[in-house]
Amino acid sequence: MVPMWLLTIVGMELRTRALQALCLSDPQGKVAAAQLLQAQAATLSIAKHAQAPSAPVPGRPGRPLLVERVTKPQRSPFTTDGLATLLHTVAHIEFNAINLALDAAWRFDGMPDAYYRDWVRVASEEALHFQLLRGLLQELTDGEQRWDYGDFPAHDGLWTVCAATAVDVVARMALVPRTLEARGLDATPLIQAKLRRVNTPAARRAVEILDTILRDEIGHVAVGNRWYRWLCERDGLDPVAHYRVLLDRFDAPQPKPPFNTDARRQAGFTDAELAALLQ
């Protein structure tokens, strides 16, 4: 039987299909839709104007419970329960990242075709990351205890900034990929170091998955950097100075050290931008 989500998106333009995938609430359906969209992206036309959503944006499953701040005590990844908590946290970030990329591909009119295709590709790679982490989470057992995505509370900070920048593509490129997602470049090696100390088969597999995520996320932040600079050039803005303006205007989280400068350079941050982060 053909899934209902597939029946709703076949035969549409790329941006319309990105919106339909964004509105899906079932995690596996969203993953499959994002990956199918990327597989067919080169053959799809791109709508000039964004279609209005007919369902809540973004589509979310009933779980996890979204809270303003996760108050559950931090658990050691040296325990199976603690490792499950950590994997769930990263999986939730990657699920949000699917939505962020699909929203970027759907929402903003007037961008070059390459912009929309870039963000569809990013959405597909984020879907793979979520799939890998969810699969590892499902494999964990502690006696009769098993876990899946949705079993722990999670916060909604990534989407909060996405919603705040819904009418400003320059701010979106500045504050989501090259601010929030760039934090992942800094945090991932620290998480991997902790998992290497745990040194169980599941922890070692998590390190491997995070290697894939870090490699891909360098490319995703690079997409944000490329389009942020393109927009600044189009609008006659200084990229370094305007970034500070946008951080203050939208009350966005301030980048904080330690920074993974090698990864940030690979993602396209200039020496001037890296120096400005330390001011």
Side-chain angles (χ1 to χ4, degrees):
M1 180 180 294
V2 178
M4 288 302 297
W5 63 263
L6 181 57
L7 292 176
T8 66
I9 66 174
V10 167
M12 297 179 181
E13 297 150 318
L14 182 141
R15 292 178 67 196
T16 305
R17 285 181 56 171
L19 172 59
Q20 294 295 331
L22 178 64
C23 291
L24 292 173
S25 58
D26 173 63
Q28 193 52 43
K30 192 185 294 284
V31 164
Q35 292 174 335
L36 179 62
L37 179 54
Q38 167 58 14
Q40 299 179 345
T43 67
L44 297 174
S45 62
I46 297 175
K48 290 184 178 180
H49 302 289
Q51 179 179 320
S54 58
V57 173
R60 306 178 190 270
R63 301 168 65 242
L65 173 68
L66 297 179
V67 295
E68 185 172 339
R69 185 180 298 274
V70 177
T71 56
K72 194 172 185 178
Q74 188 173 3
R75 297 174 180 175
S76 169
F78 285 86
T79 68
T80 308
D81 180 73
L83 180 58
T85 304
L86 175 60
L87 290 174
H88 189 277
T89 297
V90 184
H92 180 67
I93 291 170
E94 297 301 319
F95 184 76
N96 267 284
I98 305 171
N99 288 330
L100 298 177
L102 290 170
D103 190 85
W106 155 65
R107 184 175 296 276
F108 299 105
D109 293 338
M111 297 295 288
D113 287 1
Y115 165 90
Y116 303 107
R117 299 194 196 280
D118 273 350
W119 286 111
V120 164
R121 175 178 57 80
V122 170
S124 177
E125 291 174 354
E126 303 288 17
L128 173 63
H129 301 166
F130 172 75
Q131 199 171 31
L132 291 171
L133 289 163
R134 186 184 188 187
L136 182 55
L137 179 62
Q138 291 170 329
E139 291 172 8
L140 285 180
T141 59
D142 188 4
E144 295 184 357
Q145 176 68 59
R146 304 183 72 92
W147 293 275
D148 196 0
Y149 178 61
D151 287 346
F152 299 96
H155 68 81
D156 201 27
L158 286 174
W159 187 259
T160 299
V161 178
C162 188
T165 57
V167 297
D168 187 339
V169 65
V170 183
R172 173 67 64 84
M173 292 299 102
L175 301 181
V176 175
R178 63 193 310 276
T179 299
L180 298 184
E181 295 188 76
R183 291 166 71 181
L185 305 184
D186 307 325
T188 298
L190 304 178
I191 298 171
Q192 288 179 299
K194 184 179 294 186
L195 290 169
R196 288 189 181 97
R197 293 196 297 273
V198 175
N199 199 32
T200 61
R204 291 194 292 271
R205 176 59 182 147
V207 170
E208 293 173 356
I209 293 171
L210 289 171
D211 278 337
T212 298
I213 291 175
L214 180 58
R215 179 201 67 207
D216 291 346
E217 292 297 339
I218 288 171
H220 301 172
V221 176
V223 169
N225 269 322
R226 180 164 62 253
W227 290 111
Y228 173 67
R229 291 204 187 92
W230 183 90
L231 287 159
C232 285
E233 183 176 352
R234 183 195 69 178
D235 297 344
L237 301 168
D238 176 79
V240 177
H242 193 60
Y243 177 67
R244 179 56 56 185
V245 170
L246 292 171
L247 280 175
D248 294 341
R249 180 182 300 165
F250 288 88
D251 194 26
Q254 301 287 321
K256 295 180 180 178
F259 298 118
N260 185 345
T261 54
D262 287 344
R264 284 176 174 264
R265 282 196 176 95
Q266 290 179 58
F269 282 90
T270 65
D271 288 341
E273 287 170 326
L274 292 171
L277 293 176
L278 297 172
Q279 294 177 359

